[in-house]
Amino acid sequence: MLASFQLLLPQSPNSSNLQFFLTCPSISPFPSDFLSPQAFRSLMAPPKIVAEYAKSNRSSCKECSKQIPSASLRLGLVSRDARGFEATKWHHLDCFSRDSQTIFDAEKIKGFSSLKNSDQEAVKNKLESARDDKPKKVCKEDEALNEEIEDRNSKRPKLSGPEAEQDIVFSISDVQNKYKNATLLPKWKAFQTIIFLEQDEDLHDSEKIAAFDFDGCLANTSVKRVGANAWSLMHPSIPEKLQSLYNNGYKLVIFTNESNIERWKNKRQKAVDSKIGRLNDFIKCVKVPIQVFIACGVADTHGCSDPFRKPKPGMWRIMEQQFNSGITIDMDQSFYVGDAAGRANDHSDADIKFAQAVGLKFYVPEEYFGT
Protein backbone atom coordinates (compact mmCIF):
# COMPACT_ATOMS: atom_id res chain seq x y z
CA MET A 1 0.00 0.00 0.00
CA LEU A 2 1.39 3.37 -0.96
CA ALA A 3 2.20 6.18 1.44
CA SER A 4 0.71 9.65 1.47
CA PHE A 5 2.87 12.80 1.64
CA GLN A 6 2.20 15.19 4.52
CA LEU A 7 3.22 18.85 4.50
CA LEU A 8 3.84 20.22 7.97
CA LEU A 9 3.36 23.97 7.98
CA PRO A 10 4.62 26.11 10.86
CA GLN A 11 1.95 27.91 12.87
CA SER A 12 4.11 31.03 12.92
CA PRO A 13 3.77 33.05 9.68
CA ASN A 14 7.38 34.20 10.05
CA SER A 15 8.82 30.70 9.74
CA SER A 16 9.38 28.93 6.43
CA ASN A 17 10.50 25.62 7.93
CA LEU A 18 8.90 22.59 6.29
CA GLN A 19 8.88 19.04 7.51
CA PHE A 20 7.88 15.84 5.83
CA PHE A 21 6.80 12.44 7.07
CA LEU A 22 4.97 9.40 5.78
CA THR A 23 1.63 7.94 6.74
CA CYS A 24 -0.55 5.16 5.26
CA PRO A 25 -2.58 4.29 3.30
CA SER A 26 -3.32 7.21 0.90
CA ILE A 27 -1.54 7.57 -2.41
CA SER A 28 1.56 9.76 -2.35
CA PRO A 29 1.53 12.80 -4.64
CA PHE A 30 5.15 11.92 -5.44
CA PRO A 31 5.07 8.17 -6.06
CA SER A 32 8.34 8.29 -8.00
CA ASP A 33 10.09 9.31 -4.76
CA PHE A 34 9.30 5.96 -3.18
CA LEU A 35 8.78 3.44 -6.01
CA SER A 36 10.98 1.79 -8.59
CA PRO A 37 10.62 2.97 -12.20
CA GLN A 38 8.61 -0.15 -13.06
CA ALA A 39 6.21 0.29 -10.12
CA PHE A 40 5.83 3.98 -10.85
CA ARG A 41 4.85 3.24 -14.47
CA SER A 42 2.29 0.67 -13.36
CA LEU A 43 0.56 3.37 -11.29
CA MET A 44 0.10 5.64 -14.28
CA ALA A 45 -2.34 5.00 -17.12
CA PRO A 46 -0.77 4.41 -20.55
CA PRO A 47 -0.26 7.73 -22.34
CA LYS A 48 -2.45 8.72 -25.26
CA ILE A 49 -1.14 10.35 -28.42
CA VAL A 50 -2.58 13.48 -29.99
CA ALA A 51 -1.64 15.19 -33.26
CA GLU A 52 -2.40 18.80 -34.17
CA TYR A 53 -1.01 21.99 -35.63
CA ALA A 54 0.50 24.24 -32.94
CA LYS A 55 -1.89 27.04 -31.94
CA SER A 56 0.96 29.41 -31.07
CA ASN A 57 4.75 29.50 -30.93
CA ARG A 58 4.85 29.22 -27.11
CA SER A 59 5.21 25.45 -26.82
CA SER A 60 8.59 23.74 -26.85
CA CYS A 61 9.62 20.20 -27.72
CA LYS A 62 10.17 18.01 -24.66
CA GLU A 63 12.90 16.06 -26.47
CA CYS A 64 15.11 18.81 -27.97
CA SER A 65 13.78 21.81 -25.95
CA LYS A 66 13.49 23.91 -29.11
CA GLN A 67 10.44 25.99 -30.01
CA ILE A 68 7.58 24.45 -31.96
CA PRO A 69 6.56 27.11 -34.53
CA SER A 70 2.93 28.17 -34.78
CA ALA A 71 0.86 26.16 -37.31
CA SER A 72 3.51 23.42 -37.51
CA LEU A 73 2.69 19.76 -36.89
CA ARG A 74 3.28 18.52 -33.35
CA LEU A 75 2.67 15.22 -31.56
CA GLY A 76 1.75 15.10 -27.90
CA LEU A 77 1.86 12.42 -25.22
CA VAL A 78 -1.14 12.88 -22.94
CA SER A 79 -0.70 11.22 -19.55
CA ARG A 80 -2.28 11.53 -16.13
CA ASP A 81 0.03 12.68 -13.34
CA ALA A 82 0.09 11.55 -9.70
CA ARG A 83 -2.60 14.11 -8.80
CA GLY A 84 -4.91 12.76 -11.51
CA PHE A 85 -4.59 15.70 -13.92
CA GLU A 86 -3.86 15.32 -17.61
CA ALA A 87 -0.60 16.78 -18.94
CA THR A 88 0.53 16.94 -22.58
CA LYS A 89 4.20 16.77 -23.58
CA TRP A 90 4.59 18.15 -27.09
CA HIS A 91 7.24 17.04 -29.61
CA HIS A 92 8.38 17.87 -33.10
CA LEU A 93 7.44 15.03 -35.39
CA ASP A 94 11.11 14.16 -35.93
CA CYS A 95 11.77 14.10 -32.17
CA PHE A 96 8.84 11.86 -31.31
CA SER A 97 9.53 8.25 -30.32
CA ARG A 98 7.69 5.71 -28.14
CA ASP A 99 8.01 1.99 -27.58
CA SER A 100 5.55 -0.33 -29.30
CA GLN A 101 3.54 -0.92 -26.13
CA THR A 102 2.24 2.65 -26.15
CA ILE A 103 1.94 3.22 -29.91
CA PHE A 104 -1.48 3.02 -31.49
CA ASP A 105 -2.41 2.72 -35.13
CA ALA A 106 -2.11 6.18 -36.65
CA GLU A 107 -5.87 6.30 -37.33
CA LYS A 108 -6.52 6.00 -33.59
CA ILE A 109 -4.47 9.09 -32.73
CA LYS A 110 -6.66 11.97 -31.64
CA GLY A 111 -6.71 14.65 -34.34
CA PHE A 112 -5.13 12.41 -36.99
CA SER A 113 -8.08 12.68 -39.37
CA SER A 114 -7.79 16.49 -39.35
CA LEU A 115 -4.22 16.47 -40.65
CA LYS A 116 -3.21 17.08 -44.25
CA ASN A 117 -2.69 13.92 -46.31
CA SER A 118 1.05 14.50 -46.48
CA ASP A 119 1.26 14.93 -42.71
CA GLN A 120 -0.85 11.82 -42.12
CA GLU A 121 1.63 9.83 -44.17
CA ALA A 122 4.56 11.35 -42.28
CA VAL A 123 2.98 10.42 -38.93
CA LYS A 124 2.41 6.83 -40.06
CA ASN A 125 6.04 6.53 -41.17
CA LYS A 126 7.30 8.02 -37.92
CA LEU A 127 5.26 5.69 -35.70
CA GLU A 128 6.35 2.70 -37.74
CA SER A 129 10.04 3.61 -37.41
CA ALA A 130 9.60 4.30 -33.68
CA ARG A 131 8.74 0.64 -33.08
CA ASP A 132 12.22 -0.32 -34.26
CA ASP A 133 13.78 1.89 -31.56
CA LYS A 134 12.02 0.15 -28.66
CA PRO A 135 14.99 -1.47 -26.83
CA LYS A 136 17.15 1.65 -26.90
CA LYS A 137 14.32 3.98 -25.90
CA VAL A 138 13.15 1.91 -22.93
CA CYS A 139 16.65 1.83 -21.49
CA LYS A 140 16.98 5.58 -21.79
CA GLU A 141 13.64 6.09 -20.06
CA ASP A 142 14.61 3.85 -17.13
CA GLU A 143 17.86 5.76 -16.72
CA ALA A 144 16.12 9.13 -16.90
CA LEU A 145 13.45 8.11 -14.35
CA ASN A 146 16.09 6.83 -11.94
CA GLU A 147 17.92 10.14 -12.25
CA GLU A 148 14.66 12.00 -11.52
CA ILE A 149 14.08 9.90 -8.37
CA GLU A 150 17.63 10.54 -7.18
CA ASP A 151 17.29 14.26 -7.87
CA ARG A 152 14.01 14.58 -5.97
CA ASN A 153 15.38 12.65 -3.01
CA SER A 154 18.42 14.93 -2.84
CA LYS A 155 16.20 18.03 -2.86
CA ARG A 156 13.81 16.84 -0.17
CA PRO A 157 13.90 19.39 2.69
CA LYS A 158 15.56 18.31 5.92
CA LEU A 159 13.69 18.01 9.21
CA SER A 160 14.03 21.08 11.43
CA GLY A 161 13.86 21.50 15.20
CA PRO A 162 10.68 21.24 17.28
CA GLU A 163 8.02 23.84 16.51
CA ALA A 164 4.22 24.20 16.67
CA GLU A 165 2.87 22.81 13.39
CA GLN A 166 -0.31 22.08 11.48
CA ASP A 167 -0.55 18.97 9.31
CA ILE A 168 -1.70 19.21 5.70
CA VAL A 169 -2.10 15.97 3.79
CA PHE A 170 -2.26 16.29 0.02
CA SER A 171 -3.71 13.37 -1.94
CA ILE A 172 -5.55 12.94 -5.22
CA SER A 173 -8.74 11.82 -3.47
CA ASP A 174 -9.04 15.24 -1.81
CA VAL A 175 -9.03 17.20 -5.07
CA GLN A 176 -12.58 18.08 -6.11
CA ASN A 177 -14.49 19.72 -8.98
CA LYS A 178 -16.56 21.64 -6.43
CA TYR A 179 -15.81 23.93 -3.52
CA LYS A 180 -18.30 22.64 -0.97
CA ASN A 181 -21.71 23.29 -2.63
CA ALA A 182 -20.35 25.51 -5.44
CA THR A 183 -19.50 24.07 -8.86
CA LEU A 184 -16.19 25.28 -10.29
CA LEU A 185 -15.64 26.47 -13.84
CA PRO A 186 -13.65 24.20 -16.21
CA LYS A 187 -9.96 23.72 -15.33
CA TRP A 188 -10.47 24.88 -11.74
CA LYS A 189 -10.13 22.45 -8.81
CA ALA A 190 -10.53 22.60 -5.04
CA PHE A 191 -8.36 21.17 -2.27
CA GLN A 192 -9.39 21.75 1.34
CA THR A 193 -9.86 25.56 1.59
CA ILE A 194 -8.05 26.52 -1.62
CA ILE A 195 -9.19 26.69 -5.24
CA PHE A 196 -6.52 26.41 -7.93
CA LEU A 197 -6.29 26.61 -11.71
CA GLU A 198 -5.01 23.57 -13.58
CA GLN A 199 -1.74 24.27 -15.33
CA ASP A 200 -1.93 25.53 -18.91
CA GLU A 201 0.30 23.76 -21.43
CA ASP A 202 2.17 27.03 -22.09
CA LEU A 203 2.91 27.62 -18.40
CA HIS A 204 6.38 26.28 -17.68
CA ASP A 205 7.56 25.35 -14.21
CA SER A 206 10.65 27.31 -13.28
CA GLU A 207 13.23 28.07 -10.60
CA LYS A 208 12.22 31.73 -10.98
CA ILE A 209 8.81 32.66 -9.54
CA ALA A 210 7.13 36.04 -10.07
CA ALA A 211 4.25 36.03 -7.57
CA PHE A 212 1.43 38.55 -7.21
CA ASP A 213 -1.61 39.37 -5.16
CA PHE A 214 -4.72 39.99 -7.30
CA ASP A 215 -7.21 42.49 -5.82
CA GLY A 216 -5.63 45.91 -5.41
CA CYS A 217 -2.42 44.75 -7.07
CA LEU A 218 -3.18 43.45 -10.56
CA ALA A 219 -6.90 44.23 -10.66
CA ASN A 220 -8.90 47.19 -9.39
CA THR A 221 -11.91 45.62 -7.66
CA SER A 222 -14.43 46.60 -5.00
CA VAL A 223 -16.21 44.58 -2.30
CA LYS A 224 -19.38 46.46 -3.30
CA ARG A 225 -19.29 45.13 -6.86
CA VAL A 226 -19.81 41.48 -7.75
CA GLY A 227 -19.41 39.83 -11.15
CA ALA A 228 -16.82 38.48 -13.56
CA ASN A 229 -16.59 41.83 -15.38
CA ALA A 230 -16.37 44.00 -12.23
CA TRP A 231 -12.65 44.75 -12.48
CA SER A 232 -10.08 46.83 -14.36
CA LEU A 233 -6.30 46.89 -14.61
CA MET A 234 -4.58 48.57 -11.68
CA HIS A 235 -1.73 49.82 -13.89
CA PRO A 236 -1.53 50.05 -17.70
CA SER A 237 1.98 48.56 -17.68
CA ILE A 238 0.80 45.25 -16.22
CA PRO A 239 0.34 43.25 -19.48
CA GLU A 240 3.73 44.28 -20.84
CA LYS A 241 5.47 43.60 -17.52
CA LEU A 242 3.95 40.12 -17.17
CA GLN A 243 4.71 39.19 -20.77
CA SER A 244 8.33 40.27 -20.29
CA LEU A 245 8.68 38.15 -17.15
CA TYR A 246 7.20 35.14 -18.93
CA ASN A 247 9.53 35.56 -21.90
CA ASN A 248 12.49 35.75 -19.51
CA GLY A 249 11.73 32.35 -18.01
CA TYR A 250 9.67 33.30 -14.96
CA LYS A 251 6.63 31.32 -13.90
CA LEU A 252 3.82 33.73 -13.01
CA VAL A 253 1.72 32.84 -9.95
CA ILE A 254 -1.20 34.63 -8.28
CA PHE A 255 -1.84 34.07 -4.55
CA THR A 256 -5.11 35.69 -3.49
CA ASN A 257 -7.36 35.57 -0.41
CA GLU A 258 -11.14 35.44 -0.96
CA SER A 259 -12.98 34.71 2.28
CA ASN A 260 -16.38 35.63 0.74
CA ILE A 261 -16.36 32.19 -0.89
CA GLU A 262 -16.38 30.61 2.56
CA ARG A 263 -18.55 33.21 4.30
CA TRP A 264 -21.36 33.51 1.71
CA LYS A 265 -22.87 30.11 2.39
CA ASN A 266 -26.17 30.94 0.70
CA LYS A 267 -24.49 32.82 -2.17
CA ARG A 268 -21.32 30.78 -2.48
CA GLN A 269 -21.85 29.96 -6.16
CA LYS A 270 -22.12 33.68 -6.93
CA ALA A 271 -18.91 34.40 -5.02
CA VAL A 272 -17.05 31.58 -6.78
CA ASP A 273 -18.23 32.59 -10.26
CA SER A 274 -17.33 36.22 -9.59
CA LYS A 275 -13.79 35.52 -8.38
CA ILE A 276 -12.91 32.86 -10.93
CA GLY A 277 -14.56 34.85 -13.73
CA ARG A 278 -12.41 37.89 -12.96
CA LEU A 279 -9.25 35.79 -12.87
CA ASN A 280 -10.10 34.08 -16.17
CA ASP A 281 -10.80 37.46 -17.81
CA PHE A 282 -7.59 38.92 -16.40
CA ILE A 283 -5.48 36.07 -17.81
CA LYS A 284 -7.11 36.57 -21.22
CA CYS A 285 -6.45 40.31 -21.00
CA VAL A 286 -2.72 40.03 -20.27
CA LYS A 287 -2.28 37.18 -22.79
CA VAL A 288 0.14 35.14 -20.71
CA PRO A 289 -0.35 31.86 -18.78
CA ILE A 290 -0.57 32.21 -15.00
CA GLN A 291 -0.86 29.73 -12.15
CA VAL A 292 -3.53 30.73 -9.61
CA PHE A 293 -4.27 29.82 -5.99
CA ILE A 294 -7.29 31.21 -4.10
CA ALA A 295 -7.41 30.90 -0.30
CA CYS A 296 -11.07 30.76 0.74
CA GLY A 297 -10.63 30.36 4.47
CA VAL A 298 -11.45 33.05 7.00
CA ALA A 299 -9.34 34.60 9.75
CA ASP A 300 -10.43 34.05 13.34
CA THR A 301 -10.55 36.73 16.04
CA HIS A 302 -6.92 36.02 16.93
CA GLY A 303 -5.59 36.49 13.40
CA CYS A 304 -5.07 33.91 10.67
CA SER A 305 -5.84 30.29 11.55
CA ASP A 306 -6.38 28.85 8.06
CA PRO A 307 -3.02 27.42 6.85
CA PHE A 308 -3.56 28.70 3.30
CA ARG A 309 -4.85 32.19 3.99
CA LYS A 310 -2.15 34.85 3.71
CA PRO A 311 -0.02 35.70 5.62
CA LYS A 312 0.31 31.95 6.30
CA PRO A 313 2.61 30.37 3.67
CA GLY A 314 0.34 27.40 2.84
CA MET A 315 -0.46 28.43 -0.75
CA TRP A 316 3.23 28.91 -1.49
CA ARG A 317 4.11 25.53 0.02
CA ILE A 318 1.49 23.74 -2.06
CA MET A 319 2.81 25.43 -5.22
CA GLU A 320 6.42 24.73 -4.32
CA GLN A 321 6.01 21.09 -3.36
CA GLN A 322 3.11 19.94 -5.58
CA PHE A 323 2.95 22.19 -8.64
CA ASN A 324 6.50 23.02 -9.76
CA SER A 325 7.78 19.65 -11.03
CA GLY A 326 10.16 19.32 -8.07
CA ILE A 327 12.26 22.26 -9.32
CA THR A 328 14.15 24.04 -6.54
CA ILE A 329 13.09 27.70 -6.46
CA ASP A 330 15.80 30.37 -6.66
CA MET A 331 14.73 32.69 -3.85
CA ASP A 332 17.25 35.36 -4.89
CA GLN A 333 15.56 35.79 -8.28
CA SER A 334 11.98 35.21 -7.14
CA PHE A 335 9.75 37.92 -5.65
CA TYR A 336 6.22 38.82 -4.53
CA VAL A 337 4.14 41.95 -5.27
CA GLY A 338 1.15 42.91 -3.10
CA ASP A 339 -0.72 45.96 -1.84
CA ALA A 340 -1.33 44.89 1.79
CA ALA A 341 1.93 46.20 3.23
CA GLY A 342 0.78 47.61 6.56
CA ARG A 343 0.94 51.23 5.43
CA ALA A 344 -1.36 53.90 6.85
CA ASN A 345 -4.13 53.39 4.27
CA ASP A 346 -3.63 49.67 3.65
CA HIS A 347 -6.40 47.27 4.69
CA SER A 348 -3.84 44.91 6.27
CA ASP A 349 -0.22 43.78 6.27
CA ALA A 350 -0.98 40.26 4.98
CA ASP A 351 1.06 40.55 1.76
CA ILE A 352 4.30 41.80 3.26
CA LYS A 353 4.07 39.23 6.07
CA PHE A 354 3.37 36.50 3.50
CA ALA A 355 6.56 37.47 1.64
CA GLN A 356 8.51 37.49 4.91
CA ALA A 357 7.13 34.06 5.90
CA VAL A 358 8.20 32.59 2.58
CA GLY A 359 11.49 34.51 2.32
CA LEU A 360 10.72 36.49 -0.84
CA LYS A 361 11.71 40.00 -1.88
CA PHE A 362 8.65 42.23 -1.59
CA TYR A 363 7.36 45.12 -3.71
CA VAL A 364 4.20 47.19 -3.57
CA PRO A 365 2.36 47.55 -6.92
CA GLU A 366 3.20 51.25 -7.35
CA GLU A 367 6.86 50.46 -6.94
CA TYR A 368 6.91 47.49 -9.32
CA PHE A 369 4.48 48.60 -12.04
CA GLY A 370 5.03 52.34 -11.73
CA THR A 371 2.41 55.08 -11.31
Side-chain angles (χ1 to χ4, degrees), residues 8 40 50 56 87 94 105 112 137 141 166 178 193 225 238 261 318 336 348 350 366:
L8 299 184
F40 178 61
V50 59
S56 69
D94 291 339
D105 292 336
F112 179 80
K137 188 66 179 178
E141 286 179 343
Q166 182 165 358
K178 288 187 172 185
T193 57
R225 300 177 60 207
I238 287 175
I261 293 176
I318 286 288
Y336 178 69
S348 79
E366 307 92 281

Coordinates of all heavy atoms in Angstrom, one line a residue, residues 8 40 50 56 87 94 105 112 137 141 166 178 193 225 238 261 318 336 348 350 366:
L8 N 4.0 19.7 6.6 CA 3.8 20.2 8.0 C 4.2 21.7 7.9 O 5.3 22.1 7.7 CB 4.8 19.5 8.9 CG 4.6 18.0 9.0 CD1 5.5 17.4 10.1 CD2 3.1 17.7 9.4
F40 N 6.4 2.6 -10.6 CA 5.8 4.0 -10.8 C 5.0 4.0 -12.1 O 3.9 4.5 -12.2 CB 7.0 5.0 -10.9 CG 6.5 6.4 -11.3 CD1 5.7 7.0 -10.4 CD2 7.0 7.0 -12.4 CE1 5.3 8.3 -10.7 CE2 6.6 8.3 -12.7 CZ 5.7 9.0 -11.8
V50 N -1.8 12.5 -29.3 CA -2.6 13.5 -30.0 C -1.7 14.2 -31.0 O -0.5 14.4 -30.8 CB -3.2 14.5 -29.0 CG1 -2.1 15.3 -28.3 CG2 -4.1 15.5 -29.7
S56 N 0.1 28.2 -31.3 CA 1.0 29.4 -31.1 C 2.4 28.9 -31.1 O 2.7 27.8 -31.4 CB 0.7 30.1 -29.7 OG 1.1 29.3 -28.7
A87 N -1.7 15.9 -18.5 CA -0.6 16.8 -18.9 C -0.1 16.3 -20.3 O -0.1 15.1 -20.6 CB 0.6 16.7 -18.0
D94 N 9.8 14.9 -35.8 CA 11.1 14.2 -35.9 C 11.7 13.7 -34.6 O 12.5 12.8 -34.5 CB 12.2 15.0 -36.7 CG 11.8 15.2 -38.1 OD1 11.0 14.4 -38.7 OD2 12.3 16.2 -38.7
D105 N -2.3 2.5 -33.7 CA -2.4 2.7 -35.1 C -2.6 4.2 -35.3 O -3.3 4.9 -34.6 CB -3.6 1.9 -35.7 CG -3.3 0.4 -35.7 OD1 -2.1 0.0 -35.6 OD2 -4.3 -0.3 -35.7
F112 N -5.8 12.9 -35.8 CA -5.1 12.4 -37.0 C -5.9 12.7 -38.3 O -5.4 13.1 -39.3 CB -4.9 10.9 -36.9 CG -4.2 10.3 -38.1 CD1 -2.8 10.4 -38.2 CD2 -4.9 9.6 -39.0 CE1 -2.2 9.9 -39.3 CE2 -4.3 9.1 -40.1 CZ -2.9 9.2 -40.3
K137 N 15.1 2.9 -26.5 CA 14.3 4.0 -25.9 C 13.9 3.6 -24.5 O 14.0 4.4 -23.6 CB 13.1 4.2 -26.7 CG 12.3 5.4 -26.3 CD 13.0 6.7 -26.5 CE 12.3 7.9 -26.0 NZ 13.0 9.1 -26.2
E141 N 14.7 5.6 -21.0 CA 13.6 6.1 -20.1 C 13.9 5.6 -18.6 O 13.7 6.4 -17.7 CB 12.3 5.6 -20.6 CG 11.8 6.4 -21.8 CD 10.5 5.9 -22.3 OE1 10.1 4.8 -21.8 OE2 9.8 6.6 -23.0
Q166 N 1.0 22.5 11.9 CA -0.3 22.1 11.5 C -0.1 21.2 10.3 O 0.5 21.5 9.3 CB -1.2 23.3 11.1 CG -2.6 22.9 10.7 CD -3.5 24.0 10.7 OE1 -3.2 25.1 11.0 NE2 -4.8 23.8 10.4
K178 N -15.7 20.7 -7.1 CA -16.6 21.6 -6.4 C -15.8 22.2 -5.2 O -15.0 21.5 -4.6 CB -17.9 21.0 -6.0 CG -18.8 20.7 -7.1 CD -20.2 20.2 -6.5 CE -21.2 20.0 -7.5 NZ -22.6 19.7 -6.9
T193 N -9.3 24.2 1.7 CA -9.9 25.6 1.6 C -9.2 26.4 0.5 O -9.2 27.6 0.6 CB -9.7 26.3 2.9 OG1 -8.4 26.3 3.4 CG2 -10.6 25.6 4.0
R225 N -18.9 45.6 -5.5 CA -19.3 45.1 -6.9 C -19.0 43.6 -7.0 O -17.9 43.2 -6.7 CB -18.5 45.9 -7.9 CG -18.8 47.4 -7.8 CD -17.9 48.2 -8.9 NE -18.2 47.7 -10.2 CZ -17.4 47.8 -11.2 NH1 -16.1 48.2 -11.0 NH2 -17.7 47.4 -12.4
I238 N 0.9 46.6 -16.7 CA 0.8 45.2 -16.2 C 0.9 44.2 -17.3 O 1.8 43.3 -17.2 CB -0.5 45.0 -15.4 CG1 -0.4 45.7 -14.0 CG2 -0.7 43.5 -15.2 CD1 -1.6 45.6 -13.2
I261 N -16.0 33.5 -0.4 CA -16.4 32.2 -0.9 C -16.7 31.3 0.3 O -17.7 30.5 0.2 CB -15.2 31.6 -1.7 CG1 -15.0 32.4 -3.0 CG2 -15.5 30.1 -2.1 CD1 -13.9 32.0 -3.9
I318 N 2.2 24.6 -1.1 CA 1.5 23.7 -2.1 C 2.1 23.9 -3.5 O 2.3 22.9 -4.2 CB 0.0 24.0 -2.1 CG1 -0.7 23.4 -0.8 CG2 -0.7 23.4 -3.3 CD1 -0.7 21.9 -0.7
Y336 N 7.7 38.7 -4.7 CA 6.2 38.8 -4.5 C 5.8 40.3 -4.5 O 6.4 41.1 -3.9 CB 5.8 38.1 -3.2 CG 4.3 38.2 -2.9 CD1 3.4 37.5 -3.7 CD2 3.9 39.0 -1.9 CE1 2.1 37.6 -3.4 CE2 2.5 39.1 -1.6 CZ 1.6 38.3 -2.4 OH 0.3 38.4 -2.1
S348 N -4.5 45.9 5.4 CA -3.8 44.9 6.3 C -2.4 44.9 5.9 O -1.9 45.6 5.0 CB -4.4 43.5 6.2 OG -4.0 42.8 5.0
A350 N -1.1 41.7 5.3 CA -1.0 40.3 5.0 C 0.0 40.0 3.9 O 0.7 38.9 3.9 CB -2.4 39.7 4.6
E366 N 2.7 50.0 -6.8 CA 3.2 51.3 -7.4 C 4.7 51.2 -7.6 O 5.2 51.8 -8.6 CB 2.9 52.4 -6.4 CG 1.4 52.4 -5.9 CD 1.2 51.7 -4.6 OE1 1.1 50.4 -4.7 OE2 1.1 52.3 -3.6

